[in-house]
């Protein structure tokens, strides 16, 4: 009974969020909870209940999103092609990063950019292109594109030499990799026993 109430609340909140003018501007015809998890977030006292939802609009268009500490959707990601846990890590990483008020770095000093490129190349990547950087909790997160074994990758380097990367045919490559990098070390899925 409690689970049905929780599902109703999560669907209702998500539906209200979708209907705002800043999102889709109308309520969906159908919402389904695809995945749910209890998650411990580093630095938070309570365990967070997070749902991954699928929706269908009146015109037949479909999408997916999240409800937990906030409602959100990665519009460019096909949820069917990504593990639910990886989506939740990216979603919560985004939420935590934004709530920390990251400082955007618009342009790196040439020496810093060269250093970052050389570290990425030492990991085996070629044709490295460094992009946007963000400082969050005094850590520099830098997005990059590169090749590895003739495959295109999008990734993030942080903590000096830690790299998270996704091959371009991976749906997660459509999400800034620093969300996943920020979330993966701060999220612990709680297993029910």
């Amino acid at each position: 009974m409690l689970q049905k109430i929780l599902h109703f609340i999560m669907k209702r909140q998500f539906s209200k969020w979708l209907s705002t003018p800043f999102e889709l501007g109308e309520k969906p015809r159908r919402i389904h909870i695809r995945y749910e998890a209890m998650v411990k977030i580093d630095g938070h006292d309570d365990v967070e209940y997070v749902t991954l939802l699928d929706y269908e609009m009146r015109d037949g268009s479909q999408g997916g999103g999240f409800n937990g500490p906030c409602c959100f959707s990665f519009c460019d990601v096909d949820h069917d092609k990504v593990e639910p846990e990886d989506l939740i890590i990216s979603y919560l990483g985004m939420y935590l990063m934004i709530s920390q008020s990251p400082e955007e770095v618009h342009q790196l000093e040439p020496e810093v950019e060269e250093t970052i490129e050389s570290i990425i190349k030492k990991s085996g990547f070629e044709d490295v292109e460094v992009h946007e950087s963000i400082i969050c909790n005094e850590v520099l997160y830098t997005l990059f594109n590169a090749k590895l074994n003739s495959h295109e990758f999008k990734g993030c380097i942080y903590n000096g030499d830690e790299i998270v990367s996704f091959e371009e045919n991976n749906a997660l490559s459509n999400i800034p990799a620093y969300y996943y990098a920020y979330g993966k070390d701060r999220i612990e899925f709680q297993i029910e026993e």
Side-chain angles (χ1 to χ4, degrees), residues 35-57:
Y35 186 82
E36 58 190 315
M38 299 299 285
V39 181
K40 177 70 174 120
I41 300 172
D42 189 35
H44 292 215
D45 293 334
D46 297 326
V47 174
E48 190 74 45
Y49 176 63
V50 178
T51 55
L52 173 58
L53 304 107
D54 294 324
Y55 62 87
E56 181 180 348
M57 301 305 290

Side-chain angles (χ1 to χ4, degrees), residues 39-48 92-93 95-97 99-100 137 182-190:
V39 181
K40 177 70 174 120
I41 300 172
D42 189 35
H44 292 215
D45 293 334
D46 297 326
V47 174
E48 190 74 45
L92 290 173
Y95 168 76
L96 292 170
M97 189 172 259
S99 66
Q100 295 293 323
N137 282 343
Y182 198 73
K184 77 178 186 68
D185 296 329
R186 290 167 176 79
I187 309 303
E188 181 182 323
F189 288 86
Q190 302 294 297

Side-chain angles (χ1 to χ4, degrees), residues 112-166:
V112 174
E113 189 171 319
E114 287 175 18
T115 302
I116 290 172
E117 283 182 25
S118 69
I119 294 169
I120 296 168
K121 287 178 179 177
K122 284 181 185 174
S123 295
F125 290 98
E126 302 170 337
D127 299 333
V128 176
E129 294 177 24
V130 174
H131 298 288
E132 174 182 314
S133 293
I134 289 181
I135 296 174
C136 194
N137 282 343
E138 300 178 11
V139 174
L140 179 67
Y141 293 83
T142 302
L143 297 179
F144 68 88
N145 290 3
K147 287 185 180 175
L148 181 64
N149 299 327
S150 301
H151 296 275
E152 301 283 336
F153 281 81
K154 291 182 179 179
C156 172
I157 183 168
Y158 63 106
N159 281 340
D161 63 355
E162 291 185 56
I163 294 177
V164 166
S165 64
F166 303 102

Side-chain angles (χ1 to χ4, degrees), residues 23-34:
E23 296 309 320
L24 300 179
E26 66 178 88
K27 291 185 178 184
R29 174 172 49 190
R30 179 188 68 83
I31 295 180
H32 169 74
I33 294 179
R34 171 192 292 228

Side-chain angles (χ1 to χ4, degrees), residues 45-130:
D45 293 334
D46 297 326
V47 174
E48 190 74 45
Y49 176 63
V50 178
T51 55
L52 173 58
L53 304 107
D54 294 324
Y55 62 87
E56 181 180 348
M57 301 305 290
R58 296 185 201 308
D59 65 1
S61 62
Q62 298 178 1
F66 309 90
N67 197 356
C70 69
C71 292
F72 189 76
S73 178
F74 293 123
C75 304
D76 298 335
V77 177
D78 183 346
H79 290 199
D80 292 333
K81 296 182 178 176
V82 182
E83 290 296 321
E85 293 87 356
D86 288 337
L87 285 168
I88 288 174
I89 287 169
S90 297
Y91 154 69
L92 290 173
M94 176 275 314
Y95 168 76
L96 292 170
M97 189 172 259
I98 289 172
S99 66
Q100 295 293 323
S101 300
E103 175 188 332
E104 286 199 32
V105 178
H106 298 286
Q107 187 173 3
L108 294 172
E109 296 292 325
E111 306 83 38
V112 174
E113 189 171 319
E114 287 175 18
T115 302
I116 290 172
E117 283 182 25
S118 69
I119 294 169
I120 296 168
K121 287 178 179 177
K122 284 181 185 174
S123 295
F125 290 98
E126 302 170 337
D127 299 333
V128 176
E129 294 177 24
V130 174

